[in-house]
Amino acid sequence: HTHNIGYNTCVFAYGQTGAGKSFTMMGPDSDEGPVSSDPTMWGIIPRAVQQIFDYIEAAPQEVTFSLAVSYLEVYREVIRDLLDPSKVNLAVRESPTKGIYVDGATTGFVTCAEDVFQAIAVGDASRAVASTNMNAHSSRSHSLFIMKVTQKNELDGSLKQSQLNLVDLAGSEKIGKTGATGDTLEEAKKINQSLSALANVINALADGKPHIPFRDSKLTRILQQSLGGNCKTALMVACSPHSNNEAETLSSLRFGQRAKTIKTVVKMNEQKSAEELTAL
């Protein structure tokens, strides 16, 4: 919703491998790159990007925008920068001004939708991919695409800031099903660890517990604001209709059912101008 510039938002896709998470977030796999040349086939990320730029085009002359993107991967509890693969094992930090952020993550400034799609293509090329029985092209990592939008009114100096977190989680299937052994098995356990941590956080939030275990995984720490803070959050649950996947489908739906009971409190991130403050 483009009139929501100034709010933090998060959309994340959850479900077993092959159920349609990446299709939902990005669109179909194609030879031409991660973003299809046919906009009717786009997933949530390209649509969100296009909508933001449409909004910018329509904004009055005195309103200026600055847009920055980061693309990260959380793989076996290690955060990697997909825009600069030489940056591995990045740390999650917290500061009074920036909130929770990934220290050292590359920030690419963008001026049009094409710039963003280019950044996504660069990031996708460096993702860790291992074949499992579930899905030959399955990525065993969580990917997090972050877009920061700053809107400034040049006439009165007022500012609005938004952070958009778009997350494609790793597959939530049972380890026994993946046919994984050795290294890939360790990987499945670590991936399951972060998904278990996510489930624990969702359960603790849903039950209104005083302590929420955000620090149990890198994934939940990065998403702390999105899950329990100042953020409009949408969860997409991808399910398989096949009877062979009945247990996973039920568990995905239960996860979604728990998540639906959580209420986040969202407020606009704005710095008012002197005139607005005087008027108030």
Side-chain angles (χ1 to χ4, degrees), residues 13-91:
Y14 178 93
Q16 77 182 104
T17 300
K21 294 185 302 297
S22 302
F23 185 82
T24 300
M25 295 307 287
M26 199 66 80
D29 275 341
S30 66
D31 300 335
E32 62 214 38
V35 181
S36 168
S37 56
D38 174 8
T40 62
M41 295 303 288
W42 283 358
I44 286 167
I45 295 177
R47 284 169 194 262
V49 168
Q50 189 60 58
Q51 199 179 22
I52 288 168
F53 283 103
D54 289 347
Y55 174 77
I56 292 172
E57 287 296 303
Q61 208 57 48
E62 69 273 9
V63 181
T64 59
F65 295 85
S66 153
L67 280 90
V69 298
S70 301
Y71 200 6
L72 305 169
E73 170 183 78
V74 184
Y75 178 67
R76 287 186 171 191
E77 286 302 295
V78 172
I79 303 170
R80 217 160 65 101
D81 189 333
L82 291 174
L83 298 181
D84 179 356
S86 68
K87 292 183 182 173
V88 280
N89 216 355
L90 298 176

Coordinates of all heavy atoms in Angstrom, one line a residue, residues 13-91:
A13 N 7.7 -15.8 3.5 CA 7.1 -17.0 3.0 C 7.6 -18.2 3.7 O 8.8 -18.3 3.9 CB 7.4 -17.1 1.5
Y14 N 6.7 -19.0 4.2 CA 7.0 -20.2 5.0 C 6.4 -21.4 4.4 O 5.3 -21.4 3.9 CB 6.5 -20.0 6.5 CG 6.7 -21.1 7.4 CD1 7.8 -21.1 8.2 CD2 5.8 -22.2 7.5 CE1 8.1 -22.2 9.1 CE2 6.1 -23.3 8.4 CZ 7.2 -23.2 9.2 OH 7.4 -24.3 10.0
G15 N 7.1 -22.6 4.5 CA 6.5 -23.8 4.0 C 7.6 -24.8 3.5 O 8.8 -24.4 3.5
Q16 N 7.2 -26.0 3.2 CA 8.2 -27.0 2.8 C 8.8 -26.7 1.4 O 8.1 -25.9 0.6 CB 7.7 -28.4 2.9 CG 6.8 -28.8 1.7 CD 6.2 -30.2 1.9 OE1 5.1 -30.3 2.2 NE2 7.1 -31.2 1.6
T17 N 9.9 -27.2 1.1 CA 10.6 -27.1 -0.2 C 9.6 -27.5 -1.3 O 9.0 -28.6 -1.2 CB 11.9 -27.9 -0.3 OG1 12.7 -27.4 0.8 CG2 12.6 -27.8 -1.6
G18 N 9.5 -26.8 -2.4 CA 8.7 -27.2 -3.5 C 7.3 -26.8 -3.4 O 6.5 -27.1 -4.3
A19 N 6.9 -26.1 -2.3 CA 5.4 -25.8 -2.1 C 5.1 -24.4 -2.7 O 3.9 -24.1 -2.8 CB 5.1 -25.8 -0.7
G20 N 6.1 -23.7 -3.2 CA 5.8 -22.4 -3.9 C 6.3 -21.1 -3.2 O 5.8 -20.1 -3.5
K21 N 7.2 -21.2 -2.2 CA 7.7 -20.0 -1.5 C 8.4 -19.0 -2.5 O 8.0 -17.8 -2.5 CB 8.6 -20.3 -0.4 CG 8.0 -21.1 0.8 CD 9.0 -21.3 1.9 CE 10.2 -22.0 1.5 NZ 10.0 -23.4 1.0
S22 N 9.4 -19.5 -3.2 CA 10.2 -18.6 -4.1 C 9.3 -18.1 -5.2 O 9.4 -17.0 -5.7 CB 11.4 -19.4 -4.6 OG 12.2 -19.8 -3.6
F23 N 8.4 -19.0 -5.7 CA 7.4 -18.6 -6.7 C 6.6 -17.4 -6.2 O 6.3 -16.4 -7.0 CB 6.6 -19.7 -7.1 CG 5.7 -19.4 -8.3 CD1 6.1 -19.5 -9.6 CD2 4.3 -19.1 -8.1 CE1 5.3 -19.2 -10.7 CE2 3.5 -18.8 -9.1 CZ 4.0 -18.8 -10.5
T24 N 6.1 -17.5 -5.0 CA 5.3 -16.5 -4.4 C 6.1 -15.2 -4.2 O 5.6 -14.1 -4.5 CB 4.8 -16.9 -3.0 OG1 4.0 -18.1 -3.1 CG2 4.0 -15.8 -2.3
M25 N 7.3 -15.3 -3.8 CA 8.1 -14.1 -3.5 C 8.7 -13.4 -4.7 O 8.8 -12.2 -4.9 CB 9.3 -14.4 -2.5 CG 8.7 -14.8 -1.1 SD 7.6 -13.6 -0.3 CE 8.7 -12.3 0.1
M26 N 9.2 -14.3 -5.7 CA 9.9 -13.7 -6.8 C 9.2 -14.0 -8.2 O 9.3 -13.2 -9.1 CB 11.3 -14.3 -6.9 CG 12.3 -13.5 -7.7 SD 12.6 -11.9 -7.0 CE 13.8 -12.3 -5.7
G27 N 8.5 -15.1 -8.3 CA 8.0 -15.5 -9.6 C 8.6 -16.8 -10.1 O 9.4 -17.4 -9.3
P28 N 8.4 -17.1 -11.3 CA 8.9 -18.4 -11.8 C 10.4 -18.3 -12.1 O 10.9 -17.3 -12.3 CB 8.2 -18.6 -13.2 CG 7.8 -17.2 -13.6 CD 7.6 -16.4 -12.3
D29 N 11.1 -19.5 -12.0 CA 12.5 -19.6 -12.4 C 12.5 -19.4 -13.9 O 11.8 -20.0 -14.6 CB 13.1 -21.0 -12.1 CG 13.6 -21.1 -10.6 OD1 13.8 -20.0 -10.0 OD2 13.7 -22.2 -10.1
S30 N 13.5 -18.6 -14.4 CA 13.5 -18.4 -15.8 C 15.0 -18.2 -16.2 O 15.8 -17.8 -15.4 CB 12.7 -17.2 -16.3 OG 13.3 -16.0 -15.8
D31 N 15.3 -18.4 -17.5 CA 16.6 -18.3 -18.0 C 17.1 -16.8 -18.0 O 18.2 -16.5 -18.0 CB 16.8 -18.9 -19.4 CG 16.4 -20.4 -19.4 OD1 16.5 -21.0 -18.3 OD2 16.0 -20.9 -20.5
E32 N 16.1 -16.0 -18.1 CA 16.4 -14.5 -18.2 C 16.8 -13.9 -16.9 O 17.0 -12.7 -16.8 CB 15.2 -13.8 -18.8 CG 14.0 -13.8 -18.0 CD 12.7 -13.9 -18.8 OE1 12.6 -14.6 -19.8 OE2 11.7 -13.2 -18.3
G33 N 16.9 -14.6 -15.8 CA 17.2 -14.1 -14.5 C 16.1 -14.3 -13.5 O 15.1 -14.8 -13.8
P34 N 16.3 -13.8 -12.3 CA 15.3 -14.1 -11.2 C 14.0 -13.4 -11.4 O 12.9 -13.8 -10.9 CB 16.0 -13.6 -9.9 CG 17.1 -12.7 -10.4 CD 17.5 -13.1 -11.7
V35 N 14.0 -12.2 -12.2 CA 12.7 -11.5 -12.4 C 12.3 -11.7 -13.8 O 13.0 -11.3 -14.8 CB 12.9 -10.0 -12.0 CG1 11.6 -9.2 -12.3 CG2 13.4 -9.8 -10.6
S36 N 11.1 -12.2 -14.0 CA 10.6 -12.6 -15.3 C 10.3 -11.3 -16.1 O 10.0 -10.2 -15.6 CB 9.3 -13.3 -15.2 OG 8.6 -13.4 -16.4
S37 N 10.5 -11.4 -17.5 CA 10.2 -10.2 -18.3 C 8.7 -10.0 -18.5 O 8.3 -9.0 -19.0 CB 10.9 -10.4 -19.7 OG 10.4 -11.6 -20.2
D38 N 7.9 -11.0 -18.0 CA 6.5 -10.9 -18.1 C 5.9 -10.5 -16.7 O 5.8 -11.3 -15.8 CB 5.9 -12.2 -18.5 CG 4.4 -12.3 -18.5 OD1 3.8 -11.2 -18.2 OD2 3.8 -13.4 -18.6
P39 N 5.5 -9.2 -16.5 CA 5.1 -8.7 -15.2 C 3.9 -9.4 -14.6 O 3.7 -9.4 -13.4 CB 4.8 -7.2 -15.5 CG 5.5 -6.9 -16.7 CD 5.5 -8.1 -17.5
T40 N 3.1 -10.1 -15.5 CA 1.9 -10.8 -15.0 C 2.4 -12.0 -14.1 O 1.6 -12.5 -13.3 CB 1.0 -11.3 -16.1 OG1 1.7 -12.2 -16.9 CG2 0.4 -10.1 -16.9
M41 N 3.6 -12.4 -14.3 CA 4.1 -13.6 -13.6 C 5.0 -13.2 -12.4 O 5.5 -14.1 -11.7 CB 5.0 -14.5 -14.5 CG 4.3 -15.1 -15.7 SD 2.9 -16.1 -15.1 CE 3.8 -17.5 -14.4
W42 N 5.1 -11.9 -12.1 CA 5.9 -11.5 -11.0 C 5.4 -11.9 -9.7 O 4.2 -12.0 -9.4 CB 6.0 -9.9 -11.0 CG 6.9 -9.4 -12.0 CD1 7.7 -10.1 -12.9 CD2 7.1 -8.0 -12.3 NE1 8.4 -9.2 -13.7 CE2 8.1 -7.9 -13.3 CE3 6.7 -6.8 -11.7 CZ2 8.5 -6.7 -13.8 CZ3 7.1 -5.6 -12.2 CH2 8.0 -5.5 -13.3
G43 N 6.3 -12.1 -8.8 CA 6.0 -12.4 -7.4 C 5.9 -11.1 -6.6 O 6.0 -10.0 -7.1
I44 N 5.9 -11.3 -5.2 CA 5.7 -10.1 -4.4 C 6.8 -9.1 -4.4 O 6.6 -7.9 -4.5 CB 5.5 -10.6 -2.9 CG1 4.1 -11.2 -2.8 CG2 5.6 -9.5 -1.9 CD1 3.8 -12.0 -1.6
I45 N 8.1 -9.6 -4.5 CA 9.2 -8.7 -4.4 C 9.2 -7.7 -5.7 O 9.2 -6.5 -5.5 CB 10.5 -9.4 -4.3 CG1 10.6 -10.1 -2.9 CG2 11.7 -8.5 -4.4 CD1 11.8 -10.9 -2.6
P46 N 9.2 -8.2 -6.9 CA 9.2 -7.3 -8.0 C 7.9 -6.4 -8.1 O 8.0 -5.2 -8.4 CB 9.2 -8.2 -9.3 CG 9.4 -9.6 -8.8 CD 9.3 -9.7 -7.3
R47 N 6.8 -6.9 -7.6 CA 5.6 -6.1 -7.6 C 5.7 -4.9 -6.6 O 5.3 -3.8 -6.9 CB 4.3 -6.9 -7.2 CG 3.9 -7.8 -8.4 CD 2.8 -8.8 -7.9 NE 2.6 -9.8 -9.0 CZ 1.6 -9.8 -9.9 NH1 0.7 -8.9 -9.9 NH2 1.5 -10.8 -10.8
A48 N 6.3 -5.3 -5.4 CA 6.5 -4.2 -4.4 C 7.4 -3.2 -4.9 O 7.2 -2.0 -4.7 CB 7.0 -4.9 -3.1
V49 N 8.5 -3.6 -5.5 CA 9.5 -2.7 -6.1 C 8.8 -1.7 -7.1 O 9.0 -0.5 -7.1 CB 10.7 -3.4 -6.7 CG1 11.6 -2.5 -7.5 CG2 11.5 -4.2 -5.6
Q50 N 8.1 -2.3 -8.0 CA 7.4 -1.6 -9.1 C 6.4 -0.6 -8.5 O 6.4 0.6 -8.9 CB 6.7 -2.5 -10.1 CG 6.1 -1.8 -11.3 CD 7.2 -1.2 -12.1 OE1 8.2 -1.8 -12.6 NE2 7.2 0.2 -12.3
Q51 N 5.7 -1.0 -7.5 CA 4.7 -0.1 -6.8 C 5.4 1.1 -6.2 O 4.9 2.2 -6.3 CB 3.9 -0.9 -5.8 CG 2.6 -0.3 -5.5 CD 1.8 -1.1 -4.5 OE1 2.3 -1.9 -3.7 NE2 0.5 -0.8 -4.4
I52 N 6.5 0.9 -5.5 CA 7.2 2.0 -4.9 C 7.7 3.0 -6.0 O 7.5 4.2 -5.8 CB 8.4 1.4 -4.1 CG1 7.9 0.7 -2.8 CG2 9.4 2.6 -3.7 CD1 9.0 -0.1 -2.1
F53 N 8.2 2.5 -7.1 CA 8.6 3.4 -8.1 C 7.5 4.2 -8.8 O 7.6 5.3 -9.2 CB 9.6 2.8 -9.1 CG 11.0 2.6 -8.5 CD1 11.4 1.3 -8.1 CD2 11.8 3.7 -8.4 CE1 12.7 1.2 -7.5 CE2 13.1 3.5 -7.9 CZ 13.5 2.3 -7.4
D54 N 6.3 3.5 -8.9 CA 5.1 4.1 -9.5 C 4.7 5.3 -8.5 O 4.3 6.4 -9.0 CB 4.0 3.1 -9.6 CG 4.2 2.1 -10.7 OD1 5.1 2.4 -11.5 OD2 3.5 1.1 -10.8
Y55 N 4.8 5.0 -7.2 CA 4.5 6.0 -6.2 C 5.4 7.2 -6.3 O 5.0 8.4 -6.3 CB 4.5 5.4 -4.8 CG 4.4 6.3 -3.7 CD1 3.1 6.8 -3.3 CD2 5.4 6.8 -2.9 CE1 2.9 7.6 -2.2 CE2 5.3 7.6 -1.9 CZ 4.0 8.1 -1.5 OH 3.8 8.9 -0.5
I56 N 6.7 7.0 -6.5 CA 7.7 8.0 -6.6 C 7.4 8.9 -7.9 O 7.5 10.1 -7.8 CB 9.1 7.4 -6.6 CG1 9.4 6.8 -5.3 CG2 10.2 8.5 -7.0 CD1 10.7 6.0 -5.2
E57 N 7.1 8.2 -9.0 CA 6.8 8.9 -10.2 C 5.6 9.9 -10.0 O 5.6 11.0 -10.6 CB 6.4 7.9 -11.3 CG 7.5 7.1 -11.9 CD 8.6 8.0 -12.6 OE1 8.2 8.7 -13.6 OE2 9.7 7.9 -12.2
A58 N 4.6 9.5 -9.2 CA 3.4 10.3 -9.1 C 3.6 11.4 -8.0 O 2.7 12.2 -7.8 CB 2.3 9.4 -8.7
A59 N 4.7 11.3 -7.2 CA 4.8 12.2 -6.1 C 5.1 13.7 -6.6 O 5.6 13.9 -7.6 CB 5.9 11.8 -5.2
P60 N 4.6 14.7 -5.8 CA 4.9 16.1 -6.2 C 6.3 16.4 -6.3 O 7.2 15.7 -5.7 CB 4.2 16.9 -5.1 CG 3.7 16.0 -4.1 CD 3.9 14.6 -4.6
Q61 N 6.7 17.4 -7.0 CA 8.1 17.8 -7.3 C 8.9 18.1 -6.1 O 10.1 17.7 -6.0 CB 8.0 19.1 -8.2 CG 9.2 19.3 -9.1 CD 9.4 18.1 -10.1 OE1 8.4 17.7 -10.7 NE2 10.6 17.6 -10.1
E62 N 8.3 18.6 -5.0 CA 9.0 19.0 -3.8 C 9.4 17.8 -2.9 O 10.1 17.9 -1.9 CB 8.3 20.1 -3.0 CG 7.0 19.6 -2.3 CD 5.8 19.7 -3.2 OE1 6.0 20.0 -4.4 OE2 4.7 19.6 -2.7
V63 N 8.8 16.6 -3.3 CA 9.1 15.4 -2.4 C 10.2 14.6 -3.1 O 10.1 14.2 -4.3 CB 7.8 14.6 -2.2 CG1 8.1 13.4 -1.4 CG2 6.7 15.4 -1.6
T64 N 11.3 14.4 -2.4 CA 12.4 13.6 -2.9 C 12.6 12.3 -2.2 O 12.1 12.2 -1.1 CB 13.7 14.4 -2.9 OG1 14.0 14.7 -1.5 CG2 13.7 15.6 -3.7
F65 N 13.2 11.3 -2.9 CA 13.3 10.0 -2.3 C 14.7 9.5 -2.4 O 15.4 9.8 -3.3 CB 12.4 9.0 -3.1 CG 10.9 9.3 -3.0 CD1 10.3 10.2 -3.8 CD2 10.2 8.6 -2.0 CE1 9.0 10.5 -3.7 CE2 8.8 8.9 -1.9 CZ 8.2 9.8 -2.7
S66 N 15.1 8.6 -1.4 CA 16.3 7.9 -1.5 C 16.0 6.5 -1.2 O 15.3 6.2 -0.2 CB 17.3 8.5 -0.4 OG 18.2 7.6 0.0
L67 N 16.5 5.6 -2.0 CA 16.2 4.1 -1.9 C 17.5 3.3 -1.8 O 18.4 3.6 -2.7 CB 15.4 3.6 -3.1 CG 13.9 3.9 -3.0 CD1 13.7 5.3 -3.7 CD2 13.1 2.8 -3.7
A68 N 17.6 2.4 -0.9 CA 18.8 1.6 -0.7 C 18.4 0.2 -0.6 O 17.4 -0.1 0.1 CB 19.6 2.1 0.5
V69 N 19.1 -0.8 -1.1 CA 18.8 -2.2 -1.0 C 20.0 -3.0 -0.4 O 21.1 -2.6 -0.7 CB 18.3 -2.8 -2.3 CG1 17.1 -2.2 -2.9 CG2 19.4 -2.8 -3.4
S70 N 19.6 -4.0 0.3 CA 20.6 -5.0 0.8 C 20.0 -6.4 0.5 O 18.8 -6.5 0.5 CB 20.9 -4.9 2.3 OG 21.4 -3.6 2.6
Y71 N 20.9 -7.3 0.3 CA 20.4 -8.7 0.0 C 21.3 -9.6 0.8 O 22.5 -9.7 0.6 CB 20.5 -9.0 -1.5 CG 19.7 -10.1 -2.0 CD1 18.7 -10.8 -1.2 CD2 19.8 -10.5 -3.4 CE1 18.0 -11.8 -1.8 CE2 19.0 -11.5 -3.9 CZ 18.1 -12.2 -3.1 OH 17.4 -13.2 -3.6
L72 N 20.7 -10.4 1.8 CA 21.5 -11.2 2.7 C 21.0 -12.7 2.6 O 19.8 -12.9 2.3 CB 21.3 -10.7 4.1 CG 21.7 -9.2 4.4 CD1 21.3 -8.8 5.8 CD2 23.2 -9.0 4.2
E73 N 21.9 -13.5 3.0 CA 21.5 -14.9 3.1 C 21.9 -15.4 4.5 O 23.0 -15.1 5.0 CB 22.3 -15.7 2.1 CG 22.2 -17.2 2.2 CD 23.1 -17.9 1.2 OE1 24.3 -17.9 1.3 OE2 22.6 -18.3 0.2
V74 N 21.0 -16.2 5.2 CA 21.3 -16.8 6.4 C 21.4 -18.3 6.2 O 20.4 -18.9 5.8 CB 20.3 -16.5 7.5 CG1 20.7 -17.1 8.9 CG2 20.0 -15.0 7.7
Y75 N 22.6 -18.8 6.3 CA 22.9 -20.2 5.9 C 23.7 -20.9 7.0 O 24.8 -20.4 7.3 CB 23.7 -20.2 4.6 CG 24.1 -21.5 4.0 CD1 23.1 -22.4 3.6 CD2 25.4 -21.8 3.9 CE1 23.5 -23.6 3.0 CE2 25.8 -23.0 3.4 CZ 24.8 -23.9 2.9 OH 25.2 -25.1 2.4
R76 N 23.2 -21.9 7.7 CA 23.9 -22.6 8.8 C 24.3 -21.5 9.8 O 25.5 -21.5 10.3 CB 25.1 -23.3 8.3 CG 24.9 -24.5 7.5 CD 26.2 -25.1 7.2 NE 26.1 -26.5 6.6 CZ 27.1 -27.3 6.5 NH1 28.3 -26.9 6.9 NH2 27.0 -28.5 6.0
E77 N 23.4 -20.7 10.2 CA 23.7 -19.6 11.3 C 24.8 -18.7 10.9 O 25.4 -18.0 11.8 CB 23.9 -20.3 12.6 CG 22.7 -20.9 13.3 CD 21.6 -19.9 13.5 OE1 21.8 -18.9 14.3 OE2 20.5 -20.0 12.9
V78 N 25.1 -18.5 9.6 CA 26.1 -17.6 9.2 C 25.4 -16.6 8.2 O 24.7 -17.0 7.3 CB 27.3 -18.2 8.5 CG1 28.2 -17.2 7.9 CG2 28.1 -19.1 9.5
I79 N 25.6 -15.3 8.5 CA 25.0 -14.3 7.6 C 26.0 -13.9 6.5 O 27.1 -13.5 6.8 CB 24.5 -13.0 8.4 CG1 23.6 -13.4 9.5 CG2 23.9 -12.0 7.4 CD1 23.3 -12.3 10.5
R80 N 25.6 -14.0 5.3 CA 26.4 -13.7 4.1 C 25.8 -12.6 3.3 O 24.6 -12.5 3.2 CB 26.5 -15.0 3.3 CG 27.9 -15.2 2.6 CD 27.9 -16.7 2.2 NE 27.0 -17.0 1.2 CZ 27.3 -17.1 -0.1 NH1 28.5 -16.9 -0.5 NH2 26.4 -17.4 -1.0
D81 N 26.7 -11.7 2.8 CA 26.2 -10.6 2.0 C 26.1 -11.0 0.6 O 27.2 -11.3 -0.1 CB 27.2 -9.4 2.2 CG 26.7 -8.1 1.6 OD1 25.9 -8.2 0.6 OD2 27.1 -7.1 2.1
L82 N 25.0 -11.1 0.0 CA 24.8 -11.6 -1.4 C 25.3 -10.5 -2.4 O 25.6 -10.9 -3.6 CB 23.4 -12.0 -1.7 CG 23.0 -13.3 -0.9 CD1 21.5 -13.6 -1.2 CD2 23.8 -14.5 -1.3
L83 N 25.3 -9.3 -2.0 CA 25.8 -8.2 -3.0 C 27.3 -8.1 -3.0 O 27.9 -7.6 -3.9 CB 25.1 -6.9 -2.7 CG 23.6 -6.8 -2.8 CD1 23.1 -5.4 -2.4 CD2 23.1 -7.3 -4.1
D84 N 28.0 -8.7 -1.9 CA 29.4 -8.8 -1.9 C 29.8 -10.0 -1.1 O 30.0 -10.1 0.1 CB 30.0 -7.5 -1.1 CG 31.5 -7.6 -1.0 OD1 32.1 -8.6 -1.4 OD2 32.1 -6.6 -0.5
P85 N 29.9 -11.2 -1.9 CA 30.1 -12.5 -1.3 C 31.4 -12.6 -0.5 O 31.5 -13.6 0.3 CB 30.1 -13.4 -2.5 CG 29.4 -12.7 -3.6 CD 29.7 -11.2 -3.4
S86 N 32.3 -11.6 -0.6 CA 33.5 -11.7 0.2 C 33.2 -11.4 1.7 O 34.0 -11.7 2.6 CB 34.5 -10.7 -0.3 OG 34.1 -9.4 -0.1
K87 N 32.0 -10.8 1.9 CA 31.6 -10.5 3.3 C 30.8 -11.7 3.9 O 29.7 -11.9 3.5 CB 30.7 -9.3 3.4 CG 31.4 -8.0 3.0 CD 30.5 -6.8 3.1 CE 31.1 -5.5 2.7 NZ 30.1 -4.4 2.7
V88 N 31.5 -12.4 4.8 CA 30.8 -13.6 5.4 C 30.8 -13.4 6.9 O 31.6 -12.7 7.5 CB 31.5 -14.9 5.1 CG1 31.1 -15.4 3.7 CG2 33.0 -14.8 5.1
N89 N 29.9 -14.1 7.5 CA 29.8 -14.1 9.0 C 29.5 -12.7 9.6 O 30.2 -12.3 10.5 CB 31.0 -14.8 9.6 CG 30.6 -15.5 10.9 OD1 29.4 -15.5 11.3 ND2 31.5 -16.2 11.5
L90 N 28.6 -12.0 9.0 CA 28.3 -10.6 9.5 C 27.5 -10.8 10.8 O 26.9 -11.8 11.1 CB 27.4 -9.9 8.5 CG 28.0 -9.7 7.1 CD1 27.0 -9.0 6.1 CD2 29.2 -8.7 7.2
A91 N 27.7 -9.7 11.6 CA 27.0 -9.8 13.0 C 25.8 -8.9 13.0 O 25.6 -8.0 12.2 CB 28.0 -9.2 14.0

